[in-house]
mmCIF file of all heavy atoms in Angstrom:
data_model
loop_
_atom_site.group_PDB
_atom_site.id
_atom_site.type_symbol
_atom_site.label_atom_id
_atom_site.label_comp_id
_atom_site.label_asym_id
_atom_site.label_seq_id
_atom_site.Cartn_x
_atom_site.Cartn_y
_atom_site.Cartn_z
ATOM 1 N N LEU A 21 -24.999 101.118 2.637
ATOM 2 C CA LEU A 21 -23.813 100.603 1.930
ATOM 3 C C LEU A 21 -22.826 100.023 2.830
ATOM 4 O O LEU A 21 -22.553 100.435 3.982
ATOM 5 C CB LEU A 21 -23.198 101.721 1.096
ATOM 6 C CG LEU A 21 -24.032 102.452 0.096
ATOM 7 C CD1 LEU A 21 -23.334 103.645 -0.519
ATOM 8 C CD2 LEU A 21 -24.370 101.394 -1.061
ATOM 9 N N PRO A 22 -22.261 98.929 2.459
ATOM 10 C CA PRO A 22 -21.225 98.223 3.280
ATOM 11 C C PRO A 22 -20.026 99.186 3.565
ATOM 12 O O PRO A 22 -19.475 99.780 2.585
ATOM 13 C CB PRO A 22 -20.813 96.948 2.451
ATOM 14 C CG PRO A 22 -21.643 96.954 1.096
ATOM 15 C CD PRO A 22 -22.487 98.189 1.119
ATOM 16 N N VAL A 23 -19.537 99.252 4.824
ATOM 17 C CA VAL A 23 -18.489 100.057 5.236
ATOM 18 C C VAL A 23 -17.627 99.335 6.181
ATOM 19 O O VAL A 23 -18.059 98.432 7.039
ATOM 20 C CB VAL A 23 -18.927 101.338 5.971
ATOM 21 C CG1 VAL A 23 -17.783 102.163 6.432
ATOM 22 C CG2 VAL A 23 -19.898 102.097 5.231
ATOM 23 N N ARG A 24 -16.292 99.457 5.888
ATOM 24 C CA ARG A 24 -15.245 98.919 6.861
ATOM 25 C C ARG A 24 -14.404 100.048 7.462
ATOM 26 O O ARG A 24 -13.924 100.883 6.598
ATOM 27 C CB ARG A 24 -14.350 97.861 6.143
ATOM 28 C CG ARG A 24 -13.307 97.283 7.119
ATOM 29 C CD ARG A 24 -12.500 96.226 6.383
ATOM 30 N NE ARG A 24 -13.332 95.217 5.999
ATOM 31 C CZ ARG A 24 -13.039 94.235 5.164
ATOM 32 N NH1 ARG A 24 -12.020 94.395 4.266
ATOM 33 N NH2 ARG A 24 -13.766 93.232 4.814
ATOM 34 N N ILE A 25 -14.387 100.248 8.641
ATOM 35 C CA ILE A 25 -13.626 101.313 9.230
ATOM 36 C C ILE A 25 -12.166 100.774 9.646
ATOM 37 O O ILE A 25 -12.124 99.844 10.494
ATOM 38 C CB ILE A 25 -14.365 101.863 10.552
ATOM 39 C CG1 ILE A 25 -15.631 102.571 10.107
ATOM 40 C CG2 ILE A 25 -13.449 102.880 11.277
ATOM 41 C CD1 ILE A 25 -16.506 103.001 11.233
ATOM 42 N N GLY A 26 -11.315 101.469 9.052
ATOM 43 C CA GLY A 26 -9.843 101.037 9.344
ATOM 44 C C GLY A 26 -9.231 102.144 10.264
ATOM 45 O O GLY A 26 -9.227 103.201 9.967
ATOM 46 N N THR A 27 -8.883 101.797 11.491
ATOM 47 C CA THR A 27 -8.316 102.751 12.423
ATOM 48 C C THR A 27 -7.392 101.995 13.406
ATOM 49 O O THR A 27 -7.388 100.806 13.623
ATOM 50 C CB THR A 27 -9.497 103.338 13.239
ATOM 51 O OG1 THR A 27 -8.952 104.231 14.185
ATOM 52 C CG2 THR A 27 -10.382 102.349 13.827
ATOM 53 N N ARG A 28 -6.566 102.851 13.962
ATOM 54 C CA ARG A 28 -5.535 102.318 14.996
ATOM 55 C C ARG A 28 -6.260 101.978 16.312
ATOM 56 O O ARG A 28 -5.850 101.260 17.075
ATOM 57 C CB ARG A 28 -4.519 103.326 15.367
ATOM 58 C CG ARG A 28 -3.543 103.621 14.192
ATOM 59 C CD ARG A 28 -2.473 104.498 14.588
ATOM 60 N NE ARG A 28 -2.901 105.802 15.116
ATOM 61 C CZ ARG A 28 -2.089 106.646 15.763
ATOM 62 N NH1 ARG A 28 -0.835 106.297 15.874
ATOM 63 N NH2 ARG A 28 -2.565 107.730 16.280
ATOM 64 N N SER A 29 -7.551 102.581 16.406
ATOM 65 C CA SER A 29 -8.272 102.283 17.800
ATOM 66 C C SER A 29 -9.688 101.890 17.527
ATOM 67 O O SER A 29 -10.541 102.785 17.388
ATOM 68 C CB SER A 29 -8.139 103.560 18.671
ATOM 69 O OG SER A 29 -8.615 104.703 17.871
ATOM 70 N N GLY A 30 -9.999 100.598 17.304
ATOM 71 C CA GLY A 30 -11.370 100.237 16.961
ATOM 72 C C GLY A 30 -11.480 99.915 15.496
ATOM 73 O O GLY A 30 -10.569 100.096 14.771
ATOM 74 N N GLY A 31 -12.639 99.345 15.297
ATOM 75 C CA GLY A 31 -12.820 99.040 13.838
ATOM 76 C C GLY A 31 -11.926 97.814 13.471
ATOM 77 O O GLY A 31 -11.589 96.978 14.278
ATOM 78 N N VAL A 32 -11.472 97.783 12.178
ATOM 79 C CA VAL A 32 -10.488 96.865 11.708
ATOM 80 C C VAL A 32 -9.237 97.457 11.926
ATOM 81 O O VAL A 32 -8.861 98.517 11.430
ATOM 82 C CB VAL A 32 -10.753 96.521 10.204
ATOM 83 C CG1 VAL A 32 -9.673 95.495 9.758
ATOM 84 C CG2 VAL A 32 -12.119 95.885 10.004
ATOM 85 N N PRO A 33 -8.149 96.777 12.633
ATOM 86 C CA PRO A 33 -6.867 97.420 12.917
ATOM 87 C C PRO A 33 -6.116 97.779 11.579
ATOM 88 O O PRO A 33 -6.000 97.053 10.647
ATOM 89 C CB PRO A 33 -6.190 96.170 13.527
ATOM 90 C CG PRO A 33 -7.208 95.428 14.081
ATOM 91 C CD PRO A 33 -8.320 95.463 13.078
ATOM 92 N N PHE A 34 -5.918 99.130 11.558
ATOM 93 C CA PHE A 34 -5.092 99.692 10.465
ATOM 94 C C PHE A 34 -4.128 100.680 10.929
ATOM 95 O O PHE A 34 -4.472 101.561 11.739
ATOM 96 C CB PHE A 34 -5.960 100.319 9.494
ATOM 97 C CG PHE A 34 -5.186 100.958 8.200
ATOM 98 C CD1 PHE A 34 -4.979 100.139 7.162
ATOM 99 C CD2 PHE A 34 -4.664 102.241 8.318
ATOM 100 C CE1 PHE A 34 -4.224 100.722 6.155
ATOM 101 C CE2 PHE A 34 -3.893 102.679 7.233
ATOM 102 C CZ PHE A 34 -3.781 101.954 6.103
ATOM 103 N N ASP A 35 -2.843 100.467 10.577
ATOM 104 C CA ASP A 35 -1.858 101.461 11.013
ATOM 105 C C ASP A 35 -0.969 101.652 9.814
ATOM 106 O O ASP A 35 -0.393 100.757 9.247
ATOM 107 C CB ASP A 35 -0.973 100.782 12.180
ATOM 108 C CG ASP A 35 -0.032 101.737 12.835
ATOM 109 O OD1 ASP A 35 0.365 102.706 12.163
ATOM 110 O OD2 ASP A 35 0.240 101.505 14.053
ATOM 111 N N TRP A 36 -0.734 103.004 9.535
ATOM 112 C CA TRP A 36 0.080 103.393 8.416
ATOM 113 C C TRP A 36 1.543 102.972 8.577
ATOM 114 O O TRP A 36 2.172 102.666 7.708
ATOM 115 C CB TRP A 36 -0.021 104.917 8.283
ATOM 116 C CG TRP A 36 -1.194 105.445 7.490
ATOM 117 C CD1 TRP A 36 -2.258 106.107 8.054
ATOM 118 C CD2 TRP A 36 -1.602 105.190 6.155
ATOM 119 N NE1 TRP A 36 -3.082 106.343 7.162
ATOM 120 C CE2 TRP A 36 -2.627 105.982 5.908
ATOM 121 C CE3 TRP A 36 -0.928 104.706 5.057
ATOM 122 C CZ2 TRP A 36 -3.436 105.901 4.653
ATOM 123 C CZ3 TRP A 36 -1.532 104.674 3.772
ATOM 124 C CH2 TRP A 36 -2.723 105.259 3.581
ATOM 125 N N GLU A 37 1.925 102.756 9.815
ATOM 126 C CA GLU A 37 3.322 102.416 10.040
ATOM 127 C C GLU A 37 3.480 100.775 10.114
ATOM 128 O O GLU A 37 4.645 100.298 10.351
ATOM 129 C CB GLU A 37 3.857 103.048 11.424
ATOM 130 C CG GLU A 37 3.893 104.523 11.348
ATOM 131 C CD GLU A 37 4.414 105.310 12.603
ATOM 132 O OE1 GLU A 37 4.719 104.443 13.562
ATOM 133 O OE2 GLU A 37 4.395 106.463 12.575
ATOM 134 N N ASP A 38 2.412 100.115 10.101
ATOM 135 C CA ASP A 38 2.485 98.610 10.102
ATOM 136 C C ASP A 38 1.828 98.116 8.813
ATOM 137 O O ASP A 38 0.710 97.924 8.691
ATOM 138 C CB ASP A 38 1.787 98.126 11.292
ATOM 139 C CG ASP A 38 1.908 96.510 11.428
ATOM 140 O OD1 ASP A 38 2.454 95.956 10.551
ATOM 141 O OD2 ASP A 38 1.293 95.983 12.376
ATOM 142 N N THR A 39 2.664 97.920 7.759
ATOM 143 C CA THR A 39 2.102 97.435 6.450
ATOM 144 C C THR A 39 1.359 96.177 6.529
ATOM 145 O O THR A 39 0.589 95.748 5.649
ATOM 146 C CB THR A 39 3.295 97.357 5.370
ATOM 147 O OG1 THR A 39 4.248 96.469 5.922
ATOM 148 C CG2 THR A 39 3.821 98.823 5.117
ATOM 149 N N ALA A 40 1.628 95.370 7.528
ATOM 150 C CA ALA A 40 1.017 94.018 7.661
ATOM 151 C C ALA A 40 -0.553 94.292 7.923
ATOM 152 O O ALA A 40 -1.248 93.290 7.683
ATOM 153 C CB ALA A 40 1.540 93.234 8.820
ATOM 154 N N THR A 41 -0.819 95.381 8.364
ATOM 155 C CA THR A 41 -2.348 95.599 8.564
ATOM 156 C C THR A 41 -3.119 96.039 7.422
ATOM 157 O O THR A 41 -4.282 96.096 7.458
ATOM 158 C CB THR A 41 -2.553 96.708 9.731
ATOM 159 O OG1 THR A 41 -2.028 98.033 9.153
ATOM 160 C CG2 THR A 41 -1.725 96.368 11.076
ATOM 161 N N TRP A 42 -2.349 96.333 6.326
ATOM 162 C CA TRP A 42 -3.007 96.898 5.126
ATOM 163 C C TRP A 42 -3.943 96.000 4.454
ATOM 164 O O TRP A 42 -5.072 96.206 3.944
ATOM 165 C CB TRP A 42 -1.990 97.401 4.186
ATOM 166 C CG TRP A 42 -1.239 98.674 4.812
ATOM 167 C CD1 TRP A 42 -1.340 99.153 5.994
ATOM 168 C CD2 TRP A 42 -0.222 99.456 3.972
ATOM 169 N NE1 TRP A 42 -0.375 100.158 6.183
ATOM 170 C CE2 TRP A 42 0.254 100.419 5.002
ATOM 171 C CE3 TRP A 42 0.234 99.502 2.826
ATOM 172 C CZ2 TRP A 42 1.141 101.387 4.642
ATOM 173 C CZ3 TRP A 42 1.251 100.440 2.328
ATOM 174 C CH2 TRP A 42 1.627 101.371 3.304
ATOM 175 N N GLU A 43 -3.279 94.888 4.121
ATOM 176 C CA GLU A 43 -4.094 93.779 3.138
ATOM 177 C C GLU A 43 -5.330 93.287 3.690
ATOM 178 O O GLU A 43 -6.359 93.328 3.019
ATOM 179 C CB GLU A 43 -3.152 92.702 2.832
ATOM 180 C CG GLU A 43 -3.740 91.850 1.719
ATOM 181 C CD GLU A 43 -2.702 91.002 1.056
ATOM 182 O OE1 GLU A 43 -1.494 91.243 1.304
ATOM 183 O OE2 GLU A 43 -2.992 90.236 0.111
ATOM 184 N N PRO A 44 -5.419 92.995 5.123
ATOM 185 C CA PRO A 44 -6.634 92.628 5.652
ATOM 186 C C PRO A 44 -7.868 93.544 5.532
ATOM 187 O O PRO A 44 -9.027 93.282 5.295
ATOM 188 C CB PRO A 44 -6.392 92.280 7.062
ATOM 189 C CG PRO A 44 -4.919 91.962 7.085
ATOM 190 C CD PRO A 44 -4.273 92.876 6.027
ATOM 191 N N THR A 45 -7.521 94.805 5.625
ATOM 192 C CA THR A 45 -8.488 95.933 5.474
ATOM 193 C C THR A 45 -8.994 95.961 4.110
ATOM 194 O O THR A 45 -10.285 96.499 3.906
ATOM 195 C CB THR A 45 -8.126 97.288 5.977
ATOM 196 O OG1 THR A 45 -6.836 97.660 5.078
ATOM 197 C CG2 THR A 45 -7.560 97.207 7.336
ATOM 198 N N LEU A 46 -8.260 95.717 3.083
ATOM 199 C CA LEU A 46 -8.551 95.855 1.693
ATOM 200 C C LEU A 46 -9.461 94.607 1.121
ATOM 201 O O LEU A 46 -10.140 94.813 0.100
ATOM 202 C CB LEU A 46 -7.441 96.016 0.734
ATOM 203 C CG LEU A 46 -6.653 97.362 0.983
ATOM 204 C CD1 LEU A 46 -5.321 97.230 0.391
ATOM 205 C CD2 LEU A 46 -7.515 98.410 0.401
ATOM 206 N N GLU A 47 -9.503 93.546 1.874
ATOM 207 C CA GLU A 47 -10.108 92.270 1.272
ATOM 208 C C GLU A 47 -11.695 92.520 1.056
ATOM 209 O O GLU A 47 -12.379 92.927 1.991
ATOM 210 C CB GLU A 47 -9.859 91.199 2.276
ATOM 211 C CG GLU A 47 -10.412 89.919 1.695
ATOM 212 C CD GLU A 47 -10.105 88.734 2.688
ATOM 213 O OE1 GLU A 47 -9.065 88.773 3.389
ATOM 214 O OE2 GLU A 47 -10.874 87.756 2.616
ATOM 215 N N GLY A 48 -12.077 92.403 -0.165
ATOM 216 C CA GLY A 48 -13.499 92.467 -0.526
ATOM 217 C C GLY A 48 -13.969 93.927 -0.742
ATOM 218 O O GLY A 48 -15.150 94.090 -0.952
ATOM 219 N N MET A 49 -13.025 94.886 -0.645
ATOM 220 C CA MET A 49 -13.368 96.295 -0.800
ATOM 221 C C MET A 49 -13.389 96.601 -2.280
ATOM 222 O O MET A 49 -12.628 96.168 -3.030
ATOM 223 C CB MET A 49 -12.483 97.263 0.043
ATOM 224 C CG MET A 49 -12.588 97.015 1.511
ATOM 225 S SD MET A 49 -14.238 97.502 2.228
ATOM 226 C CE MET A 49 -15.043 95.902 2.489
ATOM 227 N N THR A 50 -14.244 97.702 -2.741
ATOM 228 C CA THR A 50 -14.225 98.164 -4.052
ATOM 229 C C THR A 50 -13.803 99.683 -4.028
ATOM 230 O O THR A 50 -13.539 100.179 -5.169
ATOM 231 C CB THR A 50 -15.462 98.037 -4.779
ATOM 232 O OG1 THR A 50 -16.548 98.653 -4.001
ATOM 233 C CG2 THR A 50 -15.839 96.622 -4.886
ATOM 234 N N ALA A 51 -13.852 100.314 -2.930
ATOM 235 C CA ALA A 51 -13.592 101.753 -2.866
ATOM 236 C C ALA A 51 -12.885 102.122 -1.504
ATOM 237 O O ALA A 51 -13.084 101.333 -0.576
ATOM 238 C CB ALA A 51 -14.834 102.582 -3.014
ATOM 239 N N ALA A 52 -12.208 103.262 -1.470
ATOM 240 C CA ALA A 52 -11.550 103.534 -0.275
ATOM 241 C C ALA A 52 -11.444 105.039 -0.058
ATOM 242 O O ALA A 52 -11.188 105.752 -0.916
ATOM 243 C CB ALA A 52 -10.142 102.985 -0.162
ATOM 244 N N TYR A 53 -11.687 105.548 1.106
ATOM 245 C CA TYR A 53 -11.551 106.905 1.564
ATOM 246 C C TYR A 53 -10.261 106.961 2.295
ATOM 247 O O TYR A 53 -10.153 106.293 3.315
ATOM 248 C CB TYR A 53 -12.754 107.398 2.297
ATOM 249 C CG TYR A 53 -12.493 108.867 2.879
ATOM 250 C CD1 TYR A 53 -12.541 109.854 2.009
ATOM 251 C CD2 TYR A 53 -12.197 109.068 4.231
ATOM 252 C CE1 TYR A 53 -12.327 111.237 2.495
ATOM 253 C CE2 TYR A 53 -11.945 110.366 4.691
ATOM 254 C CZ TYR A 53 -12.086 111.423 3.850
ATOM 255 O OH TYR A 53 -11.822 112.696 4.287
ATOM 256 N N ILE A 54 -9.231 107.665 1.884
ATOM 257 C CA ILE A 54 -8.044 107.722 2.439
ATOM 258 C C ILE A 54 -7.667 109.076 3.069
ATOM 259 O O ILE A 54 -7.558 110.100 2.542
ATOM 260 C CB ILE A 54 -6.929 107.345 1.466
ATOM 261 C CG1 ILE A 54 -7.103 106.008 0.616
ATOM 262 C CG2 ILE A 54 -5.522 107.451 1.938
ATOM 263 C CD1 ILE A 54 -6.311 105.917 -0.525
ATOM 264 N N SER A 55 -7.511 109.010 4.404
ATOM 265 C CA SER A 55 -7.000 110.041 5.224
ATOM 266 C C SER A 55 -5.774 109.667 5.900
ATOM 267 O O SER A 55 -5.679 108.629 6.542
ATOM 268 C CB SER A 55 -7.994 110.596 6.176
ATOM 269 O OG SER A 55 -8.461 109.810 7.124
ATOM 270 N N TYR A 56 -4.614 110.356 5.657
ATOM 271 C CA TYR A 56 -3.383 109.848 6.233
ATOM 272 C C TYR A 56 -2.977 110.594 7.536
ATOM 273 O O TYR A 56 -3.224 111.682 7.691
ATOM 274 C CB TYR A 56 -2.224 110.249 5.130
ATOM 275 C CG TYR A 56 -0.838 109.765 5.590
ATOM 276 C CD1 TYR A 56 -0.399 108.314 5.409
ATOM 277 C CD2 TYR A 56 0.032 110.536 6.260
ATOM 278 C CE1 TYR A 56 0.637 107.913 5.694
ATOM 279 C CE2 TYR A 56 1.272 110.146 6.659
ATOM 280 C CZ TYR A 56 1.662 108.896 6.412
ATOM 281 O OH TYR A 56 2.823 108.360 6.800
ATOM 282 N N TYR A 57 -2.483 109.755 8.387
ATOM 283 C CA TYR A 57 -2.135 110.226 9.762
ATOM 284 C C TYR A 57 -0.694 110.231 9.915
ATOM 285 O O TYR A 57 -0.071 109.291 9.549
ATOM 286 C CB TYR A 57 -2.850 109.393 10.868
ATOM 287 C CG TYR A 57 -2.457 109.873 12.264
ATOM 288 C CD1 TYR A 57 -3.351 110.850 12.830
ATOM 289 C CD2 TYR A 57 -1.411 109.350 13.015
ATOM 290 C CE1 TYR A 57 -2.993 111.342 14.159
ATOM 291 C CE2 TYR A 57 -1.043 109.923 14.176
ATOM 292 C CZ TYR A 57 -1.902 110.724 14.855
ATOM 293 O OH TYR A 57 -1.519 111.351 16.046
ATOM 294 N N PRO A 58 0.010 111.321 10.388
ATOM 295 C CA PRO A 58 -0.663 112.508 10.944
ATOM 296 C C PRO A 58 -1.035 113.516 9.999
ATOM 297 O O PRO A 58 -1.921 114.307 10.067
ATOM 298 C CB PRO A 58 0.382 113.049 12.020
ATOM 299 C CG PRO A 58 1.648 112.705 11.347
ATOM 300 C CD PRO A 58 1.418 111.333 10.706
ATOM 301 N N ASP A 59 -0.344 113.567 8.818
ATOM 302 C CA ASP A 59 -0.611 114.568 7.698
ATOM 303 C C ASP A 59 0.259 114.172 6.550
ATOM 304 O O ASP A 59 1.396 113.663 6.629
ATOM 305 C CB ASP A 59 -0.200 115.867 8.164
ATOM 306 C CG ASP A 59 -0.565 117.061 7.184
ATOM 307 O OD1 ASP A 59 -1.814 117.533 7.467
ATOM 308 O OD2 ASP A 59 0.089 117.428 6.314
ATOM 309 N N LEU A 60 -0.266 114.614 5.299
ATOM 310 C CA LEU A 60 0.442 114.235 4.068
ATOM 311 C C LEU A 60 1.799 114.931 3.999
ATOM 312 O O LEU A 60 2.629 114.613 3.167
ATOM 313 C CB LEU A 60 -0.364 114.600 2.858
ATOM 314 C CG LEU A 60 -1.708 113.685 2.615
ATOM 315 C CD1 LEU A 60 -2.407 114.212 1.445
ATOM 316 C CD2 LEU A 60 -1.333 112.226 2.430
ATOM 317 N N ALA A 61 1.989 115.942 4.793
ATOM 318 C CA ALA A 61 3.228 116.676 4.766
ATOM 319 C C ALA A 61 4.331 115.933 5.641
ATOM 320 O O ALA A 61 5.545 116.443 5.743
ATOM 321 C CB ALA A 61 3.075 118.165 5.293
ATOM 322 N N ALA A 62 3.932 114.863 6.472
ATOM 323 C CA ALA A 62 4.862 114.285 7.315
ATOM 324 C C ALA A 62 5.792 113.388 6.421
ATOM 325 O O ALA A 62 5.543 112.886 5.405
ATOM 326 C CB ALA A 62 4.089 113.368 8.223
ATOM 327 N N PRO A 63 7.030 113.187 6.974
ATOM 328 C CA PRO A 63 8.013 112.332 6.324
ATOM 329 C C PRO A 63 7.453 110.901 6.149
ATOM 330 O O PRO A 63 6.810 110.319 7.023
ATOM 331 C CB PRO A 63 9.176 112.327 7.365
ATOM 332 C CG PRO A 63 8.983 113.574 8.184
ATOM 333 C CD PRO A 63 7.591 113.775 8.177
ATOM 334 N N GLY A 64 7.667 110.414 5.020
ATOM 335 C CA GLY A 64 7.266 109.005 4.619
ATOM 336 C C GLY A 64 5.791 108.923 4.042
ATOM 337 O O GLY A 64 5.412 107.739 3.637
#
């Protein structure tokens, strides 16, 4: 199955703190697995 890896180090650049990286990772995708860094308990 087609997979795109979004990460701060390798794959397609994705950074939770840089919203400009979000849209390019979503292009052409139909599903997403979301793990938030550092933790969902973190501010923001």
